[in-house]
Amino acid sequence: MNHALKDGTVGKALLMLDIIADAEQSLRFNNILALSPFPKATTYRLLQTMTSQAMLSYDAESQKYSLGMRLVRLAHHAWKQASLGPIASPYLNQLAGEVGETVHLAQIENGQVLFIDKRHTSQRFETLAQVGRIAPAHCTGVGKVMLAYMQPERQDYALQRQTYIKFTNTTITNKEALLDELITIKREGVAYDKEEHENGIISIAAPILTSSGQVMGAISIATSTSRHTVEDLTQYRGVLDTITKAVSTEAELYLHPTSGS
């Protein structure tokens, strides 16, 4: 919130978008005002400007605001230009088919995990991780494995942005304990989520790395404790390693075509 106040009109407008996006439903003006740190006049002016620019949509009948189609178009272009999603998609299909479990693709930004894609192969359980959702890095398999492979400065920046909120009895709740685990993760090449984000859900995750060792993203295989134990997940290390390396190779060719092999 402080950043939005410092970043002028653009920061304020982005905060309005965050408020509406986080609500996951259309909101009336009074609902937005209650969540807004800005005065009534400022909030109204921001909403009017963003509506006129199609960043927001306003339904006169219900008197509610929702995200606009311009955001959808911008997101589509961003997806095509920068995301691992289109590149990894066929490999996620292959992986999910081989293991018969839920597969996630994620990237990290400002210390937070963004789920880019998902393959859900079982109707017997569901995970909180949904495409487009943001999750903490300190208690997710994909988040921890990406943190482990970050360069020191970037890692320190990301660690400062962890809330260390305790979601379950096994959630890591402090920086020192997380750093210890990150050392183990980098040594072993995979991270495990041992019911740290949600009870009954476990996963194994591996990083997607460039040829120079920079982390681009991560892929995880998630399942429920009614189906497997954490120890059972070790059987997927080989196929997970093969898939992440294949995605890495193709991503470098696609995103950096002049960088060589």
Side-chain angles (χ1 to χ4, degrees):
M1 189 173 295
N2 290 335
H3 287 295
L5 295 173
K6 293 177 182 178
D7 292 341
T9 302
V10 173
K12 293 175 183 177
L14 291 174
L15 181 54
M16 289 293 99
L17 291 175
D18 283 340
I19 288 172
I20 295 172
D22 289 344
E24 298 185 354
Q25 61 180 329
S26 300
L27 294 176
R28 292 179 180 271
F29 176 76
N30 286 340
N31 301 131
I32 299 172
L33 183 61
L35 297 169
S36 171
F38 312 121
K40 182 176 182 179
T42 301
T43 299
Y44 181 77
R45 185 177 68 252
L46 288 167
L47 293 175
Q48 291 300 299
T49 299
M50 287 188 288
T51 299
S52 69
Q53 294 296 318
M55 302 298 282
L56 290 177
S57 175
Y58 179 70
D59 186 319
E61 184 175 347
S62 65
Q63 298 184 335
K64 291 183 177 181
Y65 292 89
S66 58
L67 298 181
M69 289 305 298
R70 189 173 184 179
L71 285 178
V72 176
R73 181 173 61 83
L74 292 173
H76 177 66
H77 287 301
W79 173 276
K80 290 196 299 182
Q81 295 175 20
S83 173
L84 286 171
I87 297 168
S89 182
Y91 296 102
L92 298 181
N93 291 337
Q94 177 184 340
L95 180 60
E98 287 190 35
V99 302
E101 301 290 348
T102 297
V103 172
H104 298 114
L105 170 69
Q107 293 181 272
I108 193 167
E109 185 68 32
N110 290 324
Q112 301 300 301
V113 170
L114 173 62
F115 288 99
I116 301 297
D117 206 348
K118 177 177 184 175
R119 297 294 181 275
H120 187 52
T121 60
S122 174
Q123 300 302 318
R124 283 173 284 185
F125 72 95
E126 181 57 280
T127 66
L128 291 176
Q130 302 293 329
V131 176
R133 288 284 184 89
I134 293 174
H138 74 279
C139 59
T140 53
V142 285
K144 291 189 296 180
V145 83
M146 287 188 284
L147 287 173
Y149 279 85
M150 283 182 174
Q151 297 300 310
E153 286 189 9
R154 188 182 174 203
Q155 184 190 75
D156 185 61
Y157 177 87
L159 289 174
Q160 291 178 35
R161 279 148 184 80
Q162 303 308 305
T163 61
Y164 298 103
I165 291 174
K166 184 176 182 178
F167 291 90
T168 72
N169 289 333
T170 56
T171 303
I172 295 173
T173 56
N174 63 79
K175 181 179 178 180
E176 292 70 27
L178 180 58
L179 279 170
D180 286 343
E181 179 153 348
L182 296 184
I183 292 172
T184 300
I185 290 169
K186 192 167 185 181
R187 182 176 66 245
E188 296 186 353
V190 292
Y192 294 94
D193 175 352
K194 304 173 183 178
E195 298 186 79
E196 296 162 49
H197 190 211
E198 50 184 318
N199 288 312
I201 301 297
I202 55 178
S203 71
I204 179 174
I208 301 170
L209 305 172
T210 66
S211 56
S212 61
Q214 301 290 321
V215 63
M216 292 187 285
I219 294 175
S220 71
I221 300 170
T223 188
S224 68
T225 52
S226 65
R227 291 166 59 81
H228 292 291
T229 65
V230 172
E231 289 72 24
D232 291 339
L233 295 178
T234 59
Q235 66 182 299
Y236 300 133
R237 288 189 59 167
V239 65
L240 190 56
D241 183 60
T242 298
I243 292 295
T244 52
K245 285 180 178 177
V247 173
S248 173
T249 298
E250 188 160 341
E252 285 206 293
L253 291 174
Y254 180 81
L255 299 175
H256 307 287
T258 61
S259 63
S261 58

